[in-house]
Short mmCIF file of all heavy atoms in Angstrom, two decimals:
data_model
loop_
_atom_site.label_atom_id
_atom_site.label_comp_id
_atom_site.label_asym_id
_atom_site.label_seq_id
_atom_site.Cartn_x
_atom_site.Cartn_y
_atom_site.Cartn_z
N ASN A 29 59.64 110.08 52.99
CA ASN A 29 60.97 109.91 52.47
C ASN A 29 61.70 108.76 53.16
O ASN A 29 62.49 108.08 52.51
CB ASN A 29 61.77 111.26 52.75
CG ASN A 29 61.25 112.35 51.92
OD1 ASN A 29 60.65 112.19 50.87
ND2 ASN A 29 61.49 113.62 52.38
N GLU A 30 61.49 108.63 54.45
CA GLU A 30 62.11 107.51 55.20
C GLU A 30 61.61 106.17 54.61
O GLU A 30 62.40 105.24 54.43
CB GLU A 30 61.72 107.60 56.65
CG GLU A 30 62.47 106.52 57.49
CD GLU A 30 62.06 106.63 58.97
OE1 GLU A 30 61.29 107.58 59.29
OE2 GLU A 30 62.53 105.77 59.75
N ASN A 31 60.35 106.06 54.33
CA ASN A 31 59.77 104.80 53.82
C ASN A 31 60.28 104.51 52.41
O ASN A 31 60.56 103.33 52.03
CB ASN A 31 58.24 104.87 53.83
CG ASN A 31 57.68 104.80 55.23
OD1 ASN A 31 58.34 104.31 56.12
ND2 ASN A 31 56.49 105.31 55.38
N GLU A 32 60.41 105.59 51.57
CA GLU A 32 60.93 105.44 50.25
C GLU A 32 62.38 104.94 50.25
O GLU A 32 62.76 104.06 49.47
CB GLU A 32 60.79 106.79 49.45
CG GLU A 32 59.45 107.07 49.06
CD GLU A 32 59.31 108.36 48.28
OE1 GLU A 32 60.40 109.01 48.14
OE2 GLU A 32 58.25 108.65 47.68
N SER A 33 63.19 105.57 51.13
CA SER A 33 64.58 105.10 51.23
C SER A 33 64.67 103.64 51.62
O SER A 33 65.49 102.91 51.22
CB SER A 33 65.31 106.01 52.17
OG SER A 33 64.79 105.98 53.48
N LEU A 34 63.78 103.27 52.67
CA LEU A 34 63.78 101.87 53.04
C LEU A 34 63.32 100.93 51.91
O LEU A 34 63.93 99.86 51.74
CB LEU A 34 62.86 101.68 54.22
CG LEU A 34 63.29 102.31 55.57
CD1 LEU A 34 62.16 102.16 56.69
CD2 LEU A 34 64.56 101.51 56.05
N ASN A 35 62.34 101.38 51.13
CA ASN A 35 61.85 100.58 50.02
C ASN A 35 62.90 100.35 48.96
O ASN A 35 63.09 99.31 48.38
CB ASN A 35 60.59 101.16 49.44
CG ASN A 35 59.42 101.05 50.37
OD1 ASN A 35 59.35 100.15 51.22
ND2 ASN A 35 58.42 101.90 50.19
N LYS A 36 63.67 101.53 48.66
CA LYS A 36 64.72 101.46 47.66
C LYS A 36 65.79 100.54 48.12
O LYS A 36 66.34 99.74 47.23
CB LYS A 36 65.30 102.87 47.39
CG LYS A 36 64.34 103.74 46.66
CD LYS A 36 64.97 105.13 46.41
CE LYS A 36 64.02 106.04 45.63
NZ LYS A 36 64.56 107.39 45.47
N SER A 37 66.20 100.60 49.37
CA SER A 37 67.29 99.72 49.86
C SER A 37 66.81 98.27 49.78
O SER A 37 67.61 97.38 49.50
CB SER A 37 67.66 100.15 51.29
OG SER A 37 66.57 99.95 52.17
N ASN A 38 65.53 97.99 50.10
CA ASN A 38 65.00 96.70 50.09
C ASN A 38 64.91 96.12 48.65
O ASN A 38 65.01 94.98 48.42
CB ASN A 38 63.69 96.60 50.78
CG ASN A 38 63.82 96.74 52.24
OD1 ASN A 38 64.86 96.47 52.79
ND2 ASN A 38 62.72 97.23 52.93
N SER A 39 64.54 97.02 47.72
CA SER A 39 64.37 96.58 46.35
C SER A 39 65.68 96.26 45.69
O SER A 39 65.72 95.48 44.71
CB SER A 39 63.61 97.68 45.53
OG SER A 39 64.43 98.83 45.48
N LYS A 40 66.76 96.86 46.17
CA LYS A 40 68.12 96.60 45.55
C LYS A 40 68.59 95.22 45.92
O LYS A 40 69.25 94.56 45.11
CB LYS A 40 69.10 97.62 46.00
CG LYS A 40 68.90 98.99 45.41
CD LYS A 40 69.94 100.02 45.88
CE LYS A 40 69.61 101.40 45.30
NZ LYS A 40 70.63 102.35 45.86
N ALA A 41 68.25 94.77 47.09
CA ALA A 41 68.83 93.48 47.60
C ALA A 41 68.34 92.34 46.73
O ALA A 41 69.17 91.49 46.24
CB ALA A 41 68.39 93.28 49.02
N PRO A 42 67.06 92.18 46.42
CA PRO A 42 66.61 91.02 45.56
C PRO A 42 67.22 91.11 44.15
O PRO A 42 67.55 90.06 43.63
CB PRO A 42 65.10 91.22 45.51
CG PRO A 42 64.71 92.03 46.64
CD PRO A 42 65.90 92.90 46.90
N SER A 43 67.35 92.34 43.59
CA SER A 43 67.91 92.42 42.24
C SER A 43 69.35 91.91 42.19
O SER A 43 69.74 91.28 41.25
CB SER A 43 67.86 93.87 41.66
OG SER A 43 68.64 94.74 42.48
N SER A 44 70.09 92.25 43.26
CA SER A 44 71.51 91.76 43.24
C SER A 44 71.54 90.30 43.49
O SER A 44 72.49 89.62 42.95
CB SER A 44 72.20 92.42 44.39
OG SER A 44 71.61 92.07 45.66
N ILE A 45 70.56 89.70 44.10
CA ILE A 45 70.51 88.21 44.24
C ILE A 45 70.22 87.62 42.92
O ILE A 45 70.84 86.57 42.55
CB ILE A 45 69.44 87.85 45.30
CG1 ILE A 45 69.79 88.33 46.64
CG2 ILE A 45 69.22 86.36 45.29
CD1 ILE A 45 68.68 88.17 47.71
N HIS A 46 69.40 88.18 42.09
CA HIS A 46 69.08 87.56 40.81
C HIS A 46 70.07 87.78 39.71
O HIS A 46 70.11 87.20 38.75
CB HIS A 46 67.66 88.09 40.30
CG HIS A 46 66.56 87.62 41.17
ND1 HIS A 46 66.14 86.32 41.19
CD2 HIS A 46 65.73 88.31 41.93
CE1 HIS A 46 65.18 86.22 42.07
NE2 HIS A 46 64.80 87.43 42.52
N THR A 47 70.98 88.74 39.93
CA THR A 47 71.99 89.11 38.93
C THR A 47 73.00 88.05 38.66
O THR A 47 73.31 87.71 37.58
CB THR A 47 72.76 90.39 39.32
OG1 THR A 47 71.74 91.47 39.45
CG2 THR A 47 73.69 90.78 38.22
N GLN A 48 73.42 87.41 39.76
CA GLN A 48 74.51 86.40 39.60
C GLN A 48 74.12 85.18 38.80
O GLN A 48 74.88 84.81 37.91
CB GLN A 48 74.92 86.02 41.06
CG GLN A 48 76.18 85.00 40.99
CD GLN A 48 77.39 85.71 40.34
OE1 GLN A 48 77.59 86.87 40.45
NE2 GLN A 48 78.12 84.88 39.62
N PRO A 49 72.91 84.53 39.02
CA PRO A 49 72.60 83.44 38.15
C PRO A 49 72.49 83.85 36.73
O PRO A 49 72.76 83.01 35.90
CB PRO A 49 71.16 83.06 38.71
CG PRO A 49 71.20 83.57 40.09
CD PRO A 49 71.96 84.85 40.09
N GLU A 50 72.02 85.12 36.36
CA GLU A 50 71.88 85.45 35.00
C GLU A 50 73.33 85.53 34.35
O GLU A 50 73.52 85.18 33.20
CB GLU A 50 71.18 86.84 34.90
CG GLU A 50 69.74 86.78 35.25
CD GLU A 50 69.06 88.09 35.28
OE1 GLU A 50 69.74 89.08 34.97
OE2 GLU A 50 67.89 88.23 35.63
N ILE A 51 74.26 86.08 35.03
CA ILE A 51 75.61 86.18 34.54
C ILE A 51 76.21 84.75 34.31
O ILE A 51 76.77 84.46 33.30
CB ILE A 51 76.52 86.94 35.53
CG1 ILE A 51 76.07 88.42 35.59
CG2 ILE A 51 78.00 86.85 35.08
CD1 ILE A 51 76.78 89.29 36.63
N THR A 52 75.95 83.87 35.29
CA THR A 52 76.45 82.51 35.12
C THR A 52 75.84 81.84 33.99
O THR A 52 76.48 81.12 33.23
CB THR A 52 76.12 81.75 36.49
OG1 THR A 52 76.67 82.44 37.58
CG2 THR A 52 76.67 80.30 36.40
N GLU A 53 74.50 82.05 33.79
CA GLU A 53 73.86 81.41 32.69
C GLU A 53 74.32 81.92 31.33
O GLU A 53 74.54 81.13 30.42
CB GLU A 53 72.32 81.71 32.81
CG GLU A 53 71.49 81.00 31.69
CD GLU A 53 70.04 81.28 31.87
OE1 GLU A 53 69.61 81.87 32.92
OE2 GLU A 53 69.24 80.91 31.01
N THR A 54 74.61 83.17 31.25
CA THR A 54 75.18 83.77 30.03
C THR A 54 76.57 83.18 29.68
O THR A 54 76.80 82.83 28.54
CB THR A 54 75.30 85.31 30.19
OG1 THR A 54 74.00 85.84 30.48
CG2 THR A 54 75.76 85.95 28.84
N VAL A 55 77.37 83.00 30.69
CA VAL A 55 78.70 82.45 30.49
C VAL A 55 78.58 80.99 30.01
O VAL A 55 79.30 80.62 29.09
CB VAL A 55 79.53 82.53 31.79
CG1 VAL A 55 80.87 81.72 31.65
CG2 VAL A 55 79.82 83.98 32.13
N GLU A 56 77.68 80.25 30.63
CA GLU A 56 77.50 78.91 30.27
C GLU A 56 76.99 78.79 28.81
O GLU A 56 77.40 77.89 28.03
CB GLU A 56 76.49 78.24 31.16
CG GLU A 56 77.04 77.96 32.56
CD GLU A 56 76.01 77.37 33.52
OE1 GLU A 56 74.84 77.28 33.07
OE2 GLU A 56 76.39 77.10 34.69
N GLU A 57 76.03 79.73 28.42
CA GLU A 57 75.56 79.72 27.01
C GLU A 57 76.64 80.00 26.02
O GLU A 57 76.74 79.43 24.94
CB GLU A 57 74.40 80.72 26.86
CG GLU A 57 73.17 80.26 27.55
CD GLU A 57 72.07 81.29 27.51
OE1 GLU A 57 72.38 82.38 26.95
OE2 GLU A 57 70.97 81.10 27.95
N GLU A 58 77.56 80.99 26.38
CA GLU A 58 78.62 81.34 25.51
C GLU A 58 79.53 80.15 25.30
O GLU A 58 80.06 79.87 24.15
CB GLU A 58 79.35 82.50 25.98
CG GLU A 58 78.56 83.79 25.86
CD GLU A 58 79.28 85.02 26.51
OE1 GLU A 58 80.33 84.77 27.10
OE2 GLU A 58 78.85 86.14 26.39
N GLU A 59 79.85 79.43 26.38
CA GLU A 59 80.78 78.29 26.32
C GLU A 59 80.12 77.20 25.47
O GLU A 59 80.81 76.55 24.60
CB GLU A 59 81.02 77.71 27.71
CG GLU A 59 81.91 78.65 28.52
CD GLU A 59 82.17 78.16 29.95
OE1 GLU A 59 81.53 77.09 30.28
OE2 GLU A 59 82.97 78.72 30.67
N PHE A 60 78.85 76.99 25.62
CA PHE A 60 78.12 75.98 24.85
C PHE A 60 78.14 76.29 23.29
O PHE A 60 78.38 75.46 22.47
CB PHE A 60 76.70 75.86 25.28
CG PHE A 60 75.86 74.77 24.60
CD1 PHE A 60 76.06 73.43 24.96
CD2 PHE A 60 74.98 75.15 23.61
CE1 PHE A 60 75.32 72.46 24.17
CE2 PHE A 60 74.21 74.20 22.91
CZ PHE A 60 74.41 72.89 23.29
N ASP A 61 77.86 77.59 23.03
CA ASP A 61 77.90 78.00 21.61
C ASP A 61 79.24 77.83 21.01
O ASP A 61 79.39 77.42 19.88
CB ASP A 61 77.49 79.46 21.47
CG ASP A 61 75.99 79.71 21.84
OD1 ASP A 61 75.23 78.67 21.84
OD2 ASP A 61 75.60 80.87 22.14
N HIS A 62 80.30 78.13 21.72
CA HIS A 62 81.69 78.01 21.29
C HIS A 62 82.00 76.52 20.94
O HIS A 62 82.60 76.24 19.98
CB HIS A 62 82.67 78.53 22.33
CG HIS A 62 84.13 78.31 21.91
ND1 HIS A 62 84.65 79.09 20.88
CD2 HIS A 62 85.07 77.49 22.33
CE1 HIS A 62 85.94 78.73 20.75
NE2 HIS A 62 86.20 77.77 21.63
N GLN A 63 81.53 75.63 21.77
CA GLN A 63 81.76 74.24 21.59
C GLN A 63 81.00 73.72 20.31
O GLN A 63 81.53 72.93 19.61
CB GLN A 63 81.25 73.40 22.81
CG GLN A 63 82.18 73.60 24.03
CD GLN A 63 81.60 72.94 25.30
OE1 GLN A 63 80.51 72.39 25.24
NE2 GLN A 63 82.30 73.05 26.37
N ASP A 64 79.90 74.25 20.09
CA ASP A 64 79.06 73.92 18.86
C ASP A 64 79.81 74.30 17.57
O ASP A 64 79.61 73.65 16.53
CB ASP A 64 77.75 74.57 18.92
CG ASP A 64 76.70 73.79 19.79
OD1 ASP A 64 77.14 72.72 20.29
OD2 ASP A 64 75.57 74.30 20.02
N LEU A 65 80.64 75.36 17.65
CA LEU A 65 81.29 75.83 16.47
C LEU A 65 82.46 74.91 16.04
O LEU A 65 82.92 74.96 14.92
CB LEU A 65 81.82 77.27 16.64
CG LEU A 65 80.73 78.35 16.79
CD1 LEU A 65 81.33 79.67 17.16
CD2 LEU A 65 79.92 78.43 15.44
N GLU A 66 82.99 74.13 16.98
CA GLU A 66 84.04 73.20 16.62
C GLU A 66 83.57 72.08 15.71
O GLU A 66 82.51 71.50 15.93
CB GLU A 66 84.61 72.65 17.96
CG GLU A 66 85.31 73.65 18.88
CD GLU A 66 85.84 73.08 20.11
OE1 GLU A 66 85.67 71.86 20.26
OE2 GLU A 66 86.49 73.81 20.87
N PHE A 67 84.38 71.85 14.68
CA PHE A 67 84.02 70.87 13.65
C PHE A 67 84.65 69.56 13.97
O PHE A 67 85.85 69.47 14.02
CB PHE A 67 84.48 71.40 12.34
CG PHE A 67 83.51 71.09 11.15
CD1 PHE A 67 82.97 72.13 10.43
CD2 PHE A 67 83.18 69.77 10.88
CE1 PHE A 67 82.11 71.81 9.36
CE2 PHE A 67 82.36 69.50 9.86
CZ PHE A 67 81.81 70.53 9.10
N ASP A 68 83.81 68.54 14.12
CA ASP A 68 84.27 67.19 14.39
C ASP A 68 84.73 66.56 13.11
O ASP A 68 84.05 66.65 12.03
CB ASP A 68 83.18 66.39 15.00
CG ASP A 68 83.61 64.90 15.37
OD1 ASP A 68 84.33 64.81 16.35
OD2 ASP A 68 83.25 64.05 14.55
N HIS A 69 85.95 65.96 13.13
CA HIS A 69 86.58 65.34 11.95
C HIS A 69 85.70 64.30 11.36
O HIS A 69 85.49 64.12 10.10
CB HIS A 69 87.91 64.80 12.24
CG HIS A 69 88.73 64.50 11.00
ND1 HIS A 69 88.85 63.24 10.48
CD2 HIS A 69 89.46 65.23 10.20
CE1 HIS A 69 89.62 63.19 9.39
NE2 HIS A 69 89.98 64.41 9.19
N GLU A 70 85.11 63.39 12.17
CA GLU A 70 84.22 62.32 11.69
C GLU A 70 82.98 62.90 11.01
O GLU A 70 82.60 62.41 9.91
CB GLU A 70 83.89 61.41 12.84
CG GLU A 70 83.05 60.20 12.39
CD GLU A 70 82.75 59.24 13.54
OE1 GLU A 70 83.37 59.39 14.58
OE2 GLU A 70 81.86 58.42 13.36
N GLU A 71 82.40 63.90 11.55
CA GLU A 71 81.24 64.51 10.92
C GLU A 71 81.60 65.19 9.58
O GLU A 71 80.87 65.19 8.71
CB GLU A 71 80.60 65.57 11.83
CG GLU A 71 80.03 64.98 13.09
CD GLU A 71 79.56 66.08 14.12
OE1 GLU A 71 79.83 67.26 13.83
OE2 GLU A 71 78.77 65.72 15.07
N PHE A 72 82.83 65.77 9.55
CA PHE A 72 83.24 66.41 8.34
C PHE A 72 83.44 65.34 7.25
O PHE A 72 82.97 65.59 6.08
CB PHE A 72 84.62 67.04 8.61
CG PHE A 72 85.43 67.43 7.33
CD1 PHE A 72 85.00 68.59 6.61
CD2 PHE A 72 86.43 66.70 6.95
CE1 PHE A 72 85.65 68.88 5.48
CE2 PHE A 72 87.12 66.99 5.71
CZ PHE A 72 86.67 68.11 5.02
N ILE A 73 84.00 64.17 7.58
CA ILE A 73 84.12 63.09 6.59
C ILE A 73 82.85 62.64 6.01
O ILE A 73 82.63 62.49 4.81
CB ILE A 73 84.98 61.91 7.14
CG1 ILE A 73 86.35 62.33 7.51
CG2 ILE A 73 84.97 60.76 6.20
CD1 ILE A 73 87.25 62.77 6.39
N GLN A 74 81.92 62.44 6.91
CA GLN A 74 80.58 61.97 6.54
C GLN A 74 79.82 63.01 5.62
O GLN A 74 79.25 62.66 4.71
CB GLN A 74 79.68 61.67 7.75
CG GLN A 74 80.16 60.52 8.54
CD GLN A 74 80.32 59.28 7.75
OE1 GLN A 74 79.48 58.97 6.93
NE2 GLN A 74 81.44 58.52 7.92
N LYS A 75 79.99 64.28 5.95
CA LYS A 75 79.45 65.38 5.12
C LYS A 75 80.04 65.33 3.74
O LYS A 75 79.46 65.46 2.69
CB LYS A 75 79.68 66.70 5.76
CG LYS A 75 79.07 67.91 5.02
CD LYS A 75 79.28 69.17 5.83
CE LYS A 75 78.81 70.35 5.15
NZ LYS A 75 79.54 70.74 4.00
N MET A 76 81.43 65.15 3.67
CA MET A 76 82.17 65.21 2.32
C MET A 76 81.70 63.99 1.57
O MET A 76 81.56 64.09 0.30
CB MET A 76 83.65 65.15 2.61
CG MET A 76 84.21 66.43 3.15
SD MET A 76 84.18 67.86 1.96
CE MET A 76 82.75 68.80 2.70
N ILE A 77 81.55 62.79 2.16
CA ILE A 77 81.19 61.59 1.45
C ILE A 77 79.81 61.73 0.89
O ILE A 77 79.54 61.32 -0.25
CB ILE A 77 81.34 60.33 2.38
CG1 ILE A 77 82.75 60.05 2.66
CG2 ILE A 77 80.63 59.13 1.73
CD1 ILE A 77 83.63 59.76 1.44
N SER A 78 78.92 62.29 1.64
CA SER A 78 77.56 62.45 1.14
C SER A 78 77.51 63.41 -0.05
O SER A 78 76.84 63.09 -1.03
CB SER A 78 76.69 62.98 2.30
OG SER A 78 75.35 63.30 1.79
N GLU A 79 78.25 64.51 -0.01
CA GLU A 79 78.36 65.40 -1.12
C GLU A 79 79.04 64.80 -2.28
O GLU A 79 78.73 65.08 -3.44
CB GLU A 79 78.96 66.70 -0.69
CG GLU A 79 78.10 67.49 0.33
CD GLU A 79 78.66 68.84 0.70
OE1 GLU A 79 79.62 69.35 -0.04
OE2 GLU A 79 78.30 69.43 1.71
N ALA A 80 80.13 64.02 -1.97
CA ALA A 80 80.91 63.39 -3.09
C ALA A 80 79.98 62.45 -3.91
O ALA A 80 80.05 62.41 -5.09
CB ALA A 80 82.06 62.62 -2.46
#
Side-chain angles (χ1 to χ4, degrees):
N29 292 337
E30 183 182 359
N31 290 335
E32 285 181 355
S33 62
L34 287 173
N35 290 336
K36 287 180 180 178
S37 62
N38 290 335
S39 64
K40 290 179 181 179
S43 64
S44 61
I45 292 172
H46 292 294
T47 302
Q48 185 60 35
E50 291 175 1
I51 294 173
T52 304
E53 184 178 352
T54 303
V55 171
E56 289 176 353
E57 288 176 358
E58 287 177 356
E59 290 177 354
F60 181 76
D61 292 341
H62 177 70
Q63 291 173 356
D64 280 355
L65 291 175
E66 293 181 358
F67 216 122
D68 181 77
H69 191 264
E70 184 176 346
E71 291 176 351
F72 167 77
I73 295 298
Q74 294 305 315
K75 179 176 181 289
M76 288 294 104
I77 289 301
S78 176
E79 293 184 15

